[in-house]
Amino acid sequence: FWGVNFFEIQKMKKHIYFFMGTTAELIKLAPIIRELKKRKIAFKVITSGQTDVLFDNLTNYMGKVTPDIKFREKGQKSSLLLFAWWLVRTFLWAPIYLGKEFKGLNKKNSYFIIHGDTVSSLIGVLIAHIYGLRIVHVESGLRSFNFLEPFPEEICRFTIIHLADILFAPTRWALGNLKGLSGIKINTNQNTLIE
């Protein structure tokens, strides 16, 4: 299972968190969630509120999953101002709210799993970094090397890969883009979406 024995992680009383803000992130993390459920490994799901994550659409694939912690959603209307307000509100409120969840955890035995390059992933990685959790980045190393294209995704990618402790790259090319960075790097040789 991608070079990491999550069964051993669970046996050692480690904590696993998934942090997501979009249904697309859920779709790509679903194979991992499904495998953890199959192995009866406990985890928690945190949603950022960036969008309404449609868990019910994947019930047939991964079973019933609901967020354990759910931040207030951005709302249906879309505008740059509303997005900026959601971003600031979530980033300021999340560390305080999640502090209660992370209090007393052995931080080195706690894994915070994020996916891809969304603003939610960036918020998640910054919060996990603040609290000293081990950051796991799925679909790591996909880069354009141009901060303006795509924007803001490339900025998110750059920041996330520099803070992550375990980086799962989907291809040899993506793995090569992680050269020189600290952390454990694993080439999964595929995108989780294939599942």
Side-chain angles (χ1 to χ4, degrees):
F1 185 65
W2 287 4
V4 174
N5 189 334
F6 281 102
F7 182 72
E8 289 299 317
I9 289 172
Q10 188 64 16
K11 265 179 34 181
M12 297 164 53
K13 302 286 189 211
K14 297 195 179 187
H15 297 86
I16 300 172
Y17 295 92
F18 289 92
F19 188 87
M20 62 189 76
T22 68
T23 301
E25 288 172 299
L26 173 63
I27 290 168
K28 291 190 175 186
L29 291 171
I32 303 166
I33 292 170
R34 181 182 180 183
E35 186 66 24
L36 293 181
K37 287 184 78 173
K38 180 178 159 187
R39 297 184 188 199
K40 297 184 179 6
I41 297 173
F43 60 87
K44 289 189 175 182
V45 174
I46 304 168
T47 56
S48 72
Q50 182 175 343
T51 64
D52 181 20
V53 180
L54 305 175
F55 288 91
D56 290 341
N57 289 358
L58 291 171
T59 301
N60 289 340
Y61 176 75
M62 64 181 185
K64 185 72 174 165
V65 175
T66 56
D68 298 281
I69 300 170
K70 189 174 182 177
F71 291 106
R72 195 167 144 207
E73 287 180 24
K74 176 174 61 73
Q76 297 300 324
K77 290 185 180 178
S78 190
S79 74
L80 187 57
L81 185 60
L82 288 174
F83 186 80
W85 169 242
W86 163 80
L87 177 65
V88 170
R89 181 188 70 210
T90 303
F91 187 71
L92 293 176
W93 188 67
I96 297 164
Y97 186 70
L98 290 176
K100 298 172 189 172
E101 175 69 28
F102 300 146
K103 186 178 181 181
L105 286 182
N106 179 340
K107 304 305 192 292
K108 297 301 176 192
N109 290 334
S110 300
Y111 292 81
F112 199 87
I113 302 171
I114 58 163
H115 174 274
D117 56 14
T118 65
V119 174
S120 284
S121 295
L122 179 61
I123 290 172
V125 82
L126 293 173
I127 293 165
H129 183 70
I130 289 168
Y131 283 102
L133 305 179
R134 296 196 75 195
I135 299 164
V136 178
H137 185 216
V138 176
E139 203 174 272
S140 197
L142 301 177
R143 297 287 315 276
S144 72
F145 298 98
N146 177 351
F147 287 131
L148 299 177
E149 186 60 42
F151 179 83
E153 288 85 352
E154 183 66 9
I155 294 169
C156 296
R157 294 169 184 164
F158 178 83
T159 307
I160 291 167
I161 64 174
H162 281 83
L163 295 177
D165 298 291
I166 302 172
L167 303 105
F168 289 108
T171 65
R172 189 180 315 155
W173 173 78
L175 186 67
N177 292 337
L178 301 173
K179 203 175 286 185
L181 297 174
S182 61
I184 299 166
K185 301 169 202 83
I186 299 165
N187 183 357
T188 63
N189 292 305
Q190 68 177 353
N191 186 311
T192 54
L193 189 57
I194 291 171
E195 296 276 341

